[in-house]
Amino acid sequence: MSVRRLRWREGGPMTNPNAHTLPIIVVGAGMTGLAAAWELQQRGVPYVLLEAGDSFGGKVQSERTEDEFLVEKAADAFILGKPWALQLAQEVGLQDELIHPRAETKKLYFLRGGELLDFPQNLKMFVPLDDESFLQSGVLSPEGLRRMLDEQNVPPKENTDEDESLADFIIRRFGAEAMNFIVPLAAGIYVANPFELSMKAAFPQFLALEQKYGSVIKGSRATPRAQGPIFGSFKDGMSTLANAVAAKLTGDVRLNTPVLAVHPDGVTLTGGEKIAASGVVLTAPAWVAAPTLGQSFPAASALVGELQTNGSVAVILAYREGQFPRDMHLHGLQVAADEGIEMKAITVHSAKLHGRAPEGHVLLRVFFKDLDPQKALAEAVHEVARLFGAQGDPLWHAYADWRGKNPAYQVGHLDHIARIRAALPPNIQVAGSSYTGVGIPDCVNAGRTAARDVVAALGVDG
């Protein structure tokens, strides 16, 4: 479909009694924006998709090197238990491109006290599904293991209206020492400070289990495990999804087109062009979105600007298999929260997913919080040599530098988002990882939901 480029008149925004015939503008072509545009297209609603950069997918970046390594700069897979990313992949014809983490290399370690311990078996995320194997794991002291399992006898919280931090939740239910095991698995997803991370925003499923079953462990054990793979990815990397959606968009799609301001009836581009619209779905990160709202929606702009961020750096390292004296067919390791080192985790990408490294090579991703990339590189090389015996320098290295660019869902986050939405008219929606979930399925769902909300607010048939 083609969309006319309608401009505002000099002296103010144009008025149009038939405003819903104007397009809906989607700002940002990350996974949220692409999903929003796709939803509008599926509904037959005209749209304009504006992306400040020169590519699609936002943080989702897959790069094939000259020597045939596949480098992921952000997510390397998506969870299948949330159906939205898989549904979108199927809609754009990617069924045959779907792959899953390799079961035959599913070996994971937990680094505690300088020792690589076998990761506990029979867990749901961090929740033990049987007492005996967890007691034998050694990931906590014997007292810490028993206290964590004693969560089954801790009464549920009475006041469910109040939000709490992940740390408060862990200490209340599992004991203080359990922080060392649970935080790397839970807070690591959000690269978050556990004393600030909102349970209601990040882990509502555990709050629900506590209330329904009286215990997270009891609830997890009473809930059947999903059958089949837990995660999915694509043969040529996660950018496959973004590029496939973009290739099927038939509306007005513009790269290298940053937005200066969002108005009730359109946007102004940084070059001065004004595009009239019936609604806007603003999917840019909060630190980008806030200034664009300032002119027309100062209250919402201030609230969006108050959203905090965390930082992370991933160091990508390539080696020859012969540089390791041990078998590197494993998925990686998690680091105990009290280990006293900067590194938080390692993924052996070449073993985790097919096609990530040429035969006879090892590709690693080493994760840190907000650390200078050069320091992170030195630490990564040192830890890979110390823990896995790597000999010599890596063949090459790369960075995924997300310092200050990961959303921080602080306690009270959901109430804050409600205030943002209340400060905007219903035809102006904010959506994306800054607001309602950092995973790819969450971003897809956020984009499609925001598009539907704008369409409903306009009363457009679609």
Side-chain angles (χ1 to χ4, degrees):
M1 81 184 55
S2 61
V3 178
R4 289 185 300 142
R5 299 188 178 186
L6 299 167
R7 299 172 181 264
W8 290 348
R9 297 179 306 182
E10 291 295 325
M14 67 166 58
T15 59
N16 188 328
N18 199 24
H20 66 259
T21 62
L22 294 172
I24 293 172
I25 292 176
V26 179
V27 180
M31 284 312 311
T32 306
L34 290 167
W38 178 255
E39 180 70 20
L40 294 171
Q41 183 167 300
Q42 296 299 96
R43 292 170 174 269
V45 177
Y47 62 89
V48 180
L49 176 60
L50 306 173
E51 165 56 40
D54 59 3
S55 62
F56 300 103
K59 288 177 72 173
V60 178
Q61 300 174 16
S62 310
E63 299 176 5
R64 182 73 70 178
T65 67
E66 291 182 359
D67 47 358
E68 288 303 307
F69 288 87
L70 181 60
V71 174
E72 298 278 24
K73 293 296 185 71
D76 64 359
F78 60 96
I79 192 165
L80 297 171
K82 296 181 177 182
W84 307 297
L86 179 59
Q87 177 186 348
L88 179 60
Q90 292 168 338
E91 289 178 14
V92 296
L94 293 178
Q95 296 91 326
D96 294 340
E97 299 299 311
L98 189 68
I99 62 172
H100 307 287
R102 297 166 61 182
E104 73 275 14
T105 61
K106 195 176 181 181
K107 176 76 173 176
L108 194 64
Y109 289 109
F110 188 73
L111 178 62
R112 175 176 180 253
E115 184 180 358
L116 287 177
L117 305 173
D118 287 341
F119 203 81
Q121 299 297 305
N122 211 15
L123 295 181
K124 267 190 183 178
M125 194 173 178
F126 60 79
V127 182
L129 296 185
D130 73 82
D131 291 6
E132 191 58 34
S133 65
F134 192 66
L135 286 170
Q136 295 175 0
S137 68
V139 295
L140 300 171
S141 71
E143 296 76 19
L145 292 167
R146 286 192 292 270
R147 171 61 184 90
M148 187 164 164
L149 290 170
D150 194 50
E151 187 271 346
Q152 297 166 83
N153 301 313
V154 175
K157 184 180 180 183
E158 292 185 4
N159 184 359
T160 59
D161 292 332
E162 287 186 1
D163 198 2
E164 65 182 322
S165 71
L166 172 65
D168 288 341
F169 176 81
I170 293 171
I171 294 169
R172 177 171 64 82
R173 294 218 58 84
F174 297 97
E177 191 184 341
M179 291 272 289
N180 296 324
F181 178 65
I182 297 176
V183 165
L185 307 181
I189 299 170
Y190 292 87
V191 200
N193 180 339
F195 292 93
E196 297 177 351
L197 181 61
S198 161
M199 280 298 295
K200 283 191 171 183
F203 301 110
Q205 70 272 32
F206 295 119
L207 298 176
L209 288 174
E210 177 188 13
Q211 293 305 312
K212 182 175 180 179
Y213 295 94
S215 157
V216 175
I217 293 177
K218 288 179 180 178
S220 296
R221 293 178 180 182
T223 307
R225 299 186 81 158
Q227 298 300 307
I230 298 173
F231 294 98
S233 187
F234 300 99
K235 294 175 183 176
D236 289 318
M238 288 304 305
S239 286
T240 299
L241 179 59
N243 293 333
V245 176
K248 288 186 176 293
L249 294 178
T250 56
D252 186 351
V253 178
R254 311 186 200 179
L255 297 174
N256 301 303
T257 309
V259 170
L260 178 67
V262 174
H263 309 288
D265 47 4
V267 302
T268 300
L269 306 181
T270 54
E273 179 184 357
K274 297 177 178 180
I275 307 175
S278 56
V280 177
V281 179
L282 178 56
T283 74
W287 62 89
V288 175
T292 70
L293 294 167
Q295 185 181 122
S296 296
F297 309 104
S301 174
L303 288 166
V304 172
E306 290 172 6
L307 293 173
Q308 299 298 303
T309 60
N310 293 311
S312 66
V313 171
V315 178
I316 299 107
L317 302 174
Y319 292 88
R320 290 184 301 274
E321 234 172 42
Q323 292 180 258
F324 292 90
R326 55 167 295 158
D327 182 6
M328 291 300 290
H329 287 87
L330 64 146
H331 282 197
L333 64 84
Q334 295 280 349
V335 180
D338 65 345
E339 189 65 12
I341 62 175
E342 298 276 8
M343 185 183 74
K344 302 304 175 186
I346 296 177
T347 298
V348 184
H349 219 220
S350 49
K352 180 181 177 182
L353 291 157
H354 282 291
R356 270 46 187 174
E359 190 70 26
H361 291 79
V362 175
L363 183 66
L364 305 172
R365 297 202 303 171
V366 188
F367 296 92
F368 300 85
K369 291 189 79 171
D370 206 346
L371 190 65
D372 174 79
Q374 288 294 329
K375 184 177 181 182
L377 172 62
E379 290 288 326
V381 171
H382 169 75
E383 293 297 344
V384 170
R386 178 174 75 96
L387 297 171
F388 296 131
Q391 300 165 358
D393 295 329
L395 302 176
W396 53 261
H397 68 270
Y399 301 110
D401 185 358
W402 303 117
R403 287 175 294 170
K405 294 182 179 179
N406 298 316
Y409 294 172
Q410 297 187 316
V411 173
H413 180 78
L414 295 186
D415 290 337
H416 194 94
I417 299 308
R419 290 193 289 273
I420 292 172
R421 299 201 189 285
L424 292 168
N427 70 318
I428 308 294
Q429 293 286 324
V430 292
S433 62
S434 292
Y435 311 99
T436 56
V438 299
I440 289 176
D442 293 304
C443 291
V444 170
N445 184 47
R448 300 189 81 153
T449 299
R452 289 193 294 267
D453 288 346
V454 172
V455 168
L458 298 172
V460 179
D461 293 330

